[in-house]
Structure formats: C-alpha cells, structure tokens
C-alpha cells in the first residue's frame, strides 16, 4: 500500500486529493494546523476514528513554520509521496502579512525538502510542490507564441504570495538537481470548486448570487471586474497532481485550461444559473450591475434592482489583469485533459451554495 502525506489537507485541494488517493487504495496522512475550533468540514466525510482497526486516513497537527514538527511527521509516516499544498494562498491578504507568507509558502517548502534529505528518503519519497500562475505576474513579454504561459515562460511575480511561491519553485528545482530527488512543481492556474474558501472572488460571487436569488441579500461588492483568469475545477487539478508523481521523470508542469474568463463574465454566468440576466452600466469605480430579466419562477427578483457595485478596497496594490496557461506538455506527455468547462464549474458552485443557503434559511 502506497503512503501519501498531504500538507494543507483541510483545504480545497487537500480534501479532493485525499479523496482521490483513498479511492486509489493509498494510506493517507494529512497535516492540519492546531486551532481553537475545528476546521475540518471539507474532510469530515472521509475522517476515520484513529481507534478503528487499520484506518487509512490519519490527521497530524503540524505547521510549515516548524521544521522539527515537519521532520517528525515525515519520519513517522515514511511517505512514498508528499503533496505540499499547505500555504497562505490569498493573494490580496499576502500584502498585509508578507513575512508570514514568506515563512509558510517559501521556507515551508524548504523545510519539507530538507527533512526528506536529512532522513535519507531521497530515493523513496516523491514530492509535489504546489506552485502558482502568480509566478508569471501577468506580464506581456513572457508569453509563448500562443500568447499563453507555459513551462518556459519567465517569472515576474507581483505579490508577496507570488514572490514566496517563487522561492518554493526554485528550491524544489534545486533539490531535484542537487540531490537527485523526485521533486516536481505543478504550476497551477486558478482552480475553484464548491469547497473554495469564502473570501476568494469566485466563491464570494456564487455565495452572494445564491443569497440574492433566495431574497436574503440585496447586493455585493467586488474590485477589478476586468481581471481575467484561467479558471478550472479543483477536481481536475488534483488528478493532475497525482499524475505528476506517477511520471517516469521529475519535471515541472503547467496545469491550466487555456480558456480565460473575466470576473465580470463569471458574475454573469453565476446569475444566469438561477435564471437572472444582469446588465452592467457605468465605468471604472462607478460600474454597477442591474437585473434586466428573471426567468426562473423559484427566484423572483425586482427588475432594475442594483445587485453589484465596486469597492476600491478590493483592488490589489499591483494588479495582475490576465493569466492564461498552456497545458500542452501535460496533455501530450501525461494524457491529462480537464473534464470540467467554466460553465460546469459555475453550475457546480452555484448548485452547492443554493443548497447550503436554502437549508440555512429554510427556504
């Protein structure tokens, strides 16, 4: 039985990956940070009481800022595969806590790599490092001939989060080259799901639209509506993470869909899922969205109602306007293809949030 260790197991990606690996027959160990309240709702359905006979899913308290703790857990688990998904992953918040982001997202990666080396597990343990499209910084001069970002594109991160992840990328590459470790970077473009954190823009949108459709909210606020992202489904992306560690050689890979959608269009798609059509009026900070049609008898809303406005506080100090990836290498060498399109993703998220708030408000 293969043994996997997942940092950030209580997060969106960690929970989906744990499910995937358990279904493949793995023994899965997960690391979660200690808090005064439980934060395990994404993995409660796969949690196994440690008193059960031969449980295949175990949780360990740990923190990527604590090298001794990380080393102890790796020594205990003796993993065949480590998936380092733990991170402070909110780009906007990284401007407020840059030192912490560096400790977790940058040096946290080093602590895992060095623990594997010091424990003499270089030949046994394969390591996946969750990298990010924020490495590219949305710069125009570093795209390929298609106008996309790929494994050869140069990096120019424009946030403390991106800079910390850049260190994680290069230290992973260094340990691969210096110590012949099977250590890989997966450069993930934006990926979402019903388990996405509530403060991320896509989940903020679907939660707000669900509340508005149910008559429990009047309007919500966003920042840069013109920002465009290559949004995929987290289920597709964790499947690629696993495929990366099954490859014959350790390499770095772009995980993306090659399709881009603006924040504005994501809002339109979310409202459309509940039969509501909206129209945007105004420009810049004065742009607003209004209801122009409602075609679902279950979600009636006043025509002409303002449902969205702009709040300057949601703009980043350095904005990345466009990110779109080229996963050709993953498709050609590993046979990976995303199963979800953007409309499928929005429908999945909207259906989930409608169910959540229908139960909450008993409607």
């Amino acid at each position: 039985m293969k043994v996997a260790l997942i940092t950030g197991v209580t997060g969106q990606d960690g929970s989906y990956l744990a499910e995937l690996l358990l279904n493949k027959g793995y023994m899965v160990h997960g690391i979660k940070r200690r808090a005064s309240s439980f934060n395990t709702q994404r993995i409660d359905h796969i949690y196994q009481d440690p008193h059960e006979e031969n449980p295949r899913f175990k949780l360990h308290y740990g923190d990527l800022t604590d090298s001794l703790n990380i080393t102890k857990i790796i020594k205990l688990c003796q993993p065949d595969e480590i998936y380092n998904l733990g991170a402070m992953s909110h780009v906007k918040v990284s401007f407020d806590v840059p030192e912490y982001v560096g400790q977790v997202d940058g040096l946290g990666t080093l602590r895992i790599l060095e623990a594997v080396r010091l424990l003499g597990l270089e030949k046994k343990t394969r390591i996946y490092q969750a990298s990010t499209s924020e490495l590219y910084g949305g710069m125009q001069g570093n795209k390929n001939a298609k106008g996309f970002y790929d494994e050869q594109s140069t990096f120019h991160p424009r946030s403390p989060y991106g800079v910390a992840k850049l260190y994680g990328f290069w230290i992973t590459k260094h340990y691969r080259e210096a110590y012949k470790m099977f250590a890989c970077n997966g450069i993930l473009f934006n990926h979402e799901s019903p388990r996405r954190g509530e403060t991320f823009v896509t989940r903020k949108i679907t939660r707000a639209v669900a509340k508005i459709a149910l008559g429990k909210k009047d309007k919500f606020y966003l920042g840069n509506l013109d920002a465009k992202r290559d949004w995929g489904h987290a289920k597709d992306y964790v499947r690629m993470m696993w495929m990366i560690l099954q490859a014959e050689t350790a390499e770095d890979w772009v995980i993306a869909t090659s399709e881009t959608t603006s924040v504005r269009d994501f809002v339109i798609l979310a409202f459309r899922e509940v039969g509501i059509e909206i129209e945007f009026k105004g420009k810049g900070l004065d742009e607003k969205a209004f209801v122009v049609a409602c075609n679902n008898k279950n979600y009636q809303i006043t025509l002409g109602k303002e449902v969205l406005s702009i709040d300057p506080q949601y703009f980043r100090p350095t904005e990345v306007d466009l990110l779109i990836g080229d996963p050709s290498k993953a498709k050609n060498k590993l046979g990976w293809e995303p199963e979800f399109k953007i409309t499928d993703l929005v429908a999945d998220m909207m259906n989930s949030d409608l169910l959540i708030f229908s139960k909450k408000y008993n409607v």
Side-chain angles (χ1 to χ4, degrees):
M1 182 187 299
K2 278 190 174 182
V3 177
L5 174 64
I6 304 173
T7 70
V9 72
T10 60
Q12 169 189 254
D13 293 3
S15 63
Y16 281 123
L17 180 61
E19 286 179 358
L20 177 73
L21 296 179
L22 288 170
N23 287 335
K24 291 183 178 295
Y26 279 64
M27 171 70 207
V28 178
H29 295 266
I31 297 178
K32 72 180 295 291
R33 286 177 298 170
R34 174 71 176 90
S36 59
S37 60
F38 288 109
N39 182 29
T40 58
Q41 59 268 28
R42 294 185 181 98
I43 57 171
D44 284 343
H45 63 293
I46 58 174
Y47 176 76
Q48 292 176 283
D49 191 313
H51 300 96
E52 292 181 13
E53 186 176 358
N54 300 320
R56 288 200 299 114
F57 182 61
K58 293 184 179 180
L59 287 177
H60 306 267
Y61 285 117
D63 196 300
L64 287 170
T65 64
D66 186 341
S67 58
L68 288 176
N69 169 262
I70 293 297
T71 303
K72 180 183 71 174
I73 293 174
I74 293 174
K75 182 179 181 180
L76 173 68
C77 299
Q78 295 286 304
D80 299 292
E81 299 170 3
I82 295 177
Y83 296 86
N84 183 29
L85 311 185
M88 202 307 291
S89 58
H90 198 289
V91 178
K92 177 65 170 65
V93 175
S94 76
F95 287 92
D96 300 322
V97 289
E99 181 180 346
Y100 177 72
V101 172
Q103 282 288 340
V104 175
D105 299 13
L107 292 177
T109 307
L110 170 64
R111 293 181 181 107
I112 290 174
L113 293 163
E114 185 66 357
V116 169
R117 187 184 74 83
L118 291 175
L119 292 170
L121 299 175
E122 304 100 312
K123 304 301 181 185
K124 170 183 172 64
T125 304
R126 296 188 170 197
I127 301 171
Y128 171 86
Q129 165 62 14
S131 199
T132 171
S133 59
E134 291 289 332
L135 297 182
Y136 300 117
M139 307 305 288
Q140 296 300 311
N142 54 355
K143 299 178 182 178
N144 63 18
K146 299 178 183 178
F148 303 159
Y149 297 108
D150 61 20
E151 292 83 1
Q152 305 306 315
S153 299
T154 55
F155 300 137
H156 190 127
R158 305 189 72 208
S159 67
Y161 169 73
V163 172
K165 281 290 190 177
L166 182 61
Y167 179 88
F169 176 94
W170 281 112
I171 200 65
T172 298
K173 194 176 182 73
H174 168 69
Y175 270 69
R176 181 170 74 223
E177 295 173 351
Y179 304 113
K180 311 305 178 187
M181 294 171 64
F182 198 105
C184 308
N185 289 288
I187 305 175
L188 281 70
F189 279 68
N190 294 67
H191 50 291
E192 320 298 316
S193 76
R195 299 181 191 175
R196 190 46 138 163
E198 292 89 345
T199 61
F200 288 81
V201 66
T202 50
R203 189 75 194 288
K204 183 177 179 180
I205 291 169
T206 58
R207 283 168 56 88
V209 172
K211 289 180 180 179
I212 289 171
L214 294 169
K216 301 301 179 180
K217 190 180 184 73
D218 291 325
K219 62 182 289 187
F220 66 111
Y221 298 85
L222 293 176
N224 183 9
L225 296 178
D226 294 316
K228 295 181 179 180
R229 293 293 183 269
D230 183 336
W231 275 306
H233 200 297
K235 286 184 177 180
D236 283 329
Y237 285 41
V238 300
R239 177 165 49 88
M240 178 60 184
M241 294 176 191
W242 175 79
M243 294 173 74
I244 286 173
L245 291 195
Q246 313 315 306
E248 291 185 6
T249 57
E251 301 179 58
D252 303 320
W253 307 80
V254 164
I255 311 177
T257 69
S258 288
E259 296 182 4
T260 185
T261 306
S262 69
V263 173
R264 183 183 292 101
D265 287 338
F266 197 100
V267 174
I268 291 172
L269 290 172
F271 273 106
R272 197 163 285 167
E273 278 298 315
V274 289
I276 298 172
E277 295 293 331
I278 60 172
E279 178 183 29
F280 286 88
K281 296 181 180 179
K283 294 182 178 180
L285 297 179
D286 296 322
E287 187 170 8
K288 302 177 185 296
F290 301 88
V291 175
V292 295
C294 186
N295 305 314
N296 189 326
K297 63 180 181 180
N298 295 319
Y299 308 116
Q300 290 301 306
I301 190 168
T302 305
L303 299 186
K305 179 181 178 64
E306 179 187 328
V307 291
L308 171 63
S309 292
I310 304 299
D311 187 336
Q313 73 169 320
Y314 295 127
F315 284 81
R316 303 176 188 174
T318 49
E319 189 61 72
V320 177
D321 291 322
L322 173 63
L323 287 172
I324 182 167
D326 184 354
S328 296
K329 178 181 174 181
K331 293 181 178 182
N332 295 334
K333 295 188 71 172
L334 297 182
W336 177 79
E337 288 283 349
E339 297 176 357
F340 291 83
K341 296 186 179 298
I342 183 65
T343 49
D344 301 323
L345 170 63
V346 175
D348 193 17
M349 295 179 70
M350 280 302 305
N351 289 336
S352 175
D353 280 331
L354 283 167
L355 180 61
I356 289 172
F357 290 115
S358 293
K359 290 180 177 178
K360 179 177 180 179
Y361 297 121
N362 195 27
V363 296

